[in-house]
Amino acid sequence: MKKKTSTIFTLALAAMLGMGAIEANAQQTRYKGTVTIHQKDGTKTSINESDLRQIGNTEDCVYAVTKQIQPQKYTDVDHVSFDWIAHEVESISLNYKRDISADELKQAVKDMRTQLENAQRAISSLRGSSIYGELSAHMYQFQNTLGPDCYVQYFCVPHSDFPYSNFELRSTYDLCKGFIGGPSAGFSRMKYDMAPTLNAEKIDYMPEIKAIYLTLFNYAAIENVDLFGPLTYYDYKENFDGLSFVYDRVKDIYYQAKADIDAAIECFKYYKDHRSEAYKKWIGIATGNYVGLRSSYDIDYSDLSVWIRFANSLKLRMAIHMSKVEPATAKQWAEEAVAGGVIENTTDEIGLFPYLFGVSHPLIEIMGWNDIVMGASFINLLQNLDHPYMKYLFTKNSIALEKSKQAVSGTSASAVTPKGSVYVGMRNGVTPGIGQTADANPYVGYSMLDRTYFAECNPPLYLMKVSEVNFLRAEGALRGWNMGGTAQSFYEQGIRTAYLEDRNSPIKEYVNYIDDYLNVDAPKGIAYVDPQGLTPDMPSVTKIGVKWNEGDSKETKLEKIITQKYIASFPYSYESWVDLRRTGYPKLFPILHPEHSDGTIKFGDPKVQTADNIMRRIPWVSDDPQTKEDIKATGIPALSEDTNNKPATDTQMQRLWWDVDAPNF
């Protein structure tokens, strides 16, 4: 931190708050403090940075624009002083070539025990842990099943009432303050629990642990900006202690995350050849105790090559995201990632294993509350492709379902659908019922995951699966990038490794059906029928098969890749929502009742979900006055800068930087 003074000059708000100095290196410095206008008669006017929008000078006066009042002119000015704190915004350094003994590392691990435990809690929060670091169904629900899981139509919430939480969910796109900000919780814990650890002095005695933490901090940041848009990334990353914070552009965060990832990879590579066995032993102990992620049950935590593959896989994911907005850079990043080594085997996957936490997958408890049922579009897609999951993963209707007296005209619903006779999902966007029992609310009786099987197969909470990496490489190859193989080979391998069951579980029904599935040539054409008749019959929107056909168009091949990636990602929805927004795939049912949104989402085509019916971001929700000011001062401008300075709004249909309204090819 350092003081800075200056004479009169024009200082735009964006430069002062978001970009720092006006000269070169503007994105590396931010100023906080007070500007004082000194007039020749001895009068002084001081304005705090948080209130100042703009200050400048003409030949005969100084003018200042504040948030509260109209521009003020000051004549006979002697000088203007800035009592300014310069906050340097830089990447967190990884001094991985530092000479560190095993004893120094051991002592640092002991001294930082509390901070390392905090960092571990931050990592667990990526998949729904409580503030105590334990996997929590309530937090998982808050982050996933009330929002993104429904935006991509994996699940639907069957009831509108949440009396214990004191909010009402009218339908899928409801802009409900009670939960809409929930998906930000993962990054919130990162900034509160991880940032202080990243900035601690003694973390530099364990640069490899710092590199893992830095990679995971950026993983969380990329997830967050893909959900909401611009983020107070640099301020939080450097543990900046201030009243107001600056929102950074999505593009800038992507580029900084890439730089951090590259630095972490170099750290891991240096470690392999330059550290003693005693040092590596203690890195293994620290990684096992204070990271909490693993690629398999039987792992050598001192082998950090898995983190090279994870970091490169994250870089590949980011490259695919930006393939339409910056195709040349995306190609470069993707090819670098593959050349450096990405996840290629199930033993390289990274995730949280609930069984090792002594708990079950959070979805099991959430199902027990009857807070989710399967989404109609997802089930219909699986039925039409005769997916292996339809053989064992879901339950049929748990109650007899009667055709409603309010049934819509033309529905083909039977008077009564007997208990256990059909696989049936709930249309996303339909008005939910009231109550969490099937007797009171028939939607609760729709299809759900088979809780017994789901519990027995111990599905991990993955951060990165090999199937995703294969589909990323398939799309890259389709775009003409050097991915080390063909689009077909990666596509088919992605399907083979797509199952959600624990790789070490003896129960893996999926593999029994995969050969037949890979040869599905065309969909079955099964229409969706709501047993209650409350929504019209919905013809299948799935027009593609599974089998790879080299003669297909690029667009059809992309649809196949993204559709299978969507299925493979289940139940992790964040990446699927990115794909849906940037490519329009997979083809899904339109989401009903968009009028419950903020007014920007449209009904679109009633036969298939279209771009104007897809929610494109989660708005910022805050009742904190200072946060509202920060959003106004730098959040909205950052949204605008990310989209070539088109007027931006804090709405559900605001496109993000990589979400380009353009053809896929």
Side-chain angles (χ1 to χ4, degrees), residues 30-51:
R30 292 188 179 131
Y31 296 108
K32 306 274 186 180
T34 303
V35 59
T36 302
I37 301 169
H38 302 262
Q39 292 174 275
K40 293 177 180 177
D41 63 2
T43 302
K44 298 179 183 179
T45 303
S46 295
I47 306 171
N48 190 277
E49 163 270 327
S50 62
D51 292 325

Side-chain angles (χ1 to χ4, degrees), residues 173 594 597-603 612-615 652-653:
Y173 282 158
S597 71
D598 60 10
T600 60
I601 302 173
K602 307 303 180 185
F603 283 90
D612 54 356
N613 183 249
I614 298 171
M615 178 172 157
Q652 291 170 294
M653 281 298 286

Side-chain angles (χ1 to χ4, degrees), residues 79-272:
H79 68 284
V80 176
S81 64
F82 293 81
D83 185 14
W84 231 235
I85 299 295
H87 169 49
E88 301 297 330
V89 178
E90 299 173 349
S91 59
I92 292 179
S93 63
L94 285 173
N95 188 8
Y96 56 86
K97 294 184 179 181
R98 180 177 183 172
D99 186 18
I100 307 168
S101 70
D103 286 340
E104 287 176 313
L105 169 60
K106 178 180 177 180
Q107 188 60 48
V109 171
K110 291 181 177 179
D111 291 344
M112 288 193 65
R113 178 179 172 182
T114 299
Q115 291 164 306
L116 295 174
E117 288 174 347
N118 290 344
Q120 184 183 25
R121 286 204 304 269
I123 294 167
S124 299
S125 72
L126 290 172
R127 292 297 178 266
S129 74
S130 70
I131 59 174
Y132 304 108
E134 303 165 345
L135 290 176
S136 162
H138 285 288
M139 286 305 301
Y140 186 93
Q141 179 183 43
F142 194 44
Q143 290 177 221
N144 298 279
T145 62
L146 292 174
D149 289 0
C150 296
Y151 305 156
V152 300
Q153 306 196 50
Y154 285 151
F155 298 114
C156 194
V157 180
H159 59 92
S160 60
D161 53 322
F162 286 82
Y164 297 109
S165 301
N166 196 31
F167 69 80
E168 178 186 13
L169 178 61
R170 294 175 296 174
S171 66
T172 299
Y173 282 158
D174 191 1
L175 190 62
C176 173
K177 282 192 174 184
F179 77 88
I180 195 75
S184 69
F187 185 75
S188 293
R189 294 254 57 88
M190 275 285 171
K191 68 188 181 187
Y192 289 125
D193 285 335
M194 181 65 84
T197 306
L198 277 173
N199 288 277
E201 182 179 351
K202 288 194 175 181
I203 194 71
D204 289 323
Y205 284 93
M206 53 187 92
E208 296 80 15
I209 302 299
K210 186 177 183 181
I212 293 173
Y213 287 171
L214 185 59
T215 301
L216 292 170
F217 184 94
N218 281 292
Y219 179 98
I222 294 300
E223 278 195 334
N224 192 280
V225 299
D226 288 342
L227 294 165
F228 294 86
L231 172 68
T232 52
Y233 170 81
Y234 282 111
D235 283 349
Y236 283 132
K237 181 181 179 184
E238 298 197 358
N239 208 29
F240 180 57
D241 183 16
L243 295 176
S244 64
F245 294 86
V246 176
Y247 283 77
D248 300 293
R249 299 187 305 170
V250 174
K251 176 178 179 177
D252 293 340
I253 296 169
Y254 261 67
Y255 272 75
Q256 184 60 61
K258 194 264 186 184
D260 287 347
I261 288 168
D262 287 344
I265 290 170
E266 291 304 312
C267 175
F268 300 140
K269 288 162 64 176
Y270 184 87
Y271 162 87
K272 180 181 179 182

Side-chain angles (χ1 to χ4, degrees), residues 336-382:
E336 281 179 10
V338 170
V342 293
I343 293 172
E344 295 187 343
N345 301 291
T346 56
T347 53
D348 294 335
E349 296 170 320
I350 293 291
L352 288 162
F353 288 68
Y355 175 78
L356 299 177
F357 284 77
V359 297
S360 299
H361 194 291
L363 283 174
I364 294 173
E365 190 170 356
I366 295 169
M367 285 187 280
W369 303 333
N370 288 327
D371 279 356
I372 51 172
V373 294
M374 301 311 302
S377 190
F378 182 54
I379 286 287
N380 188 256
L381 168 65
L382 298 179

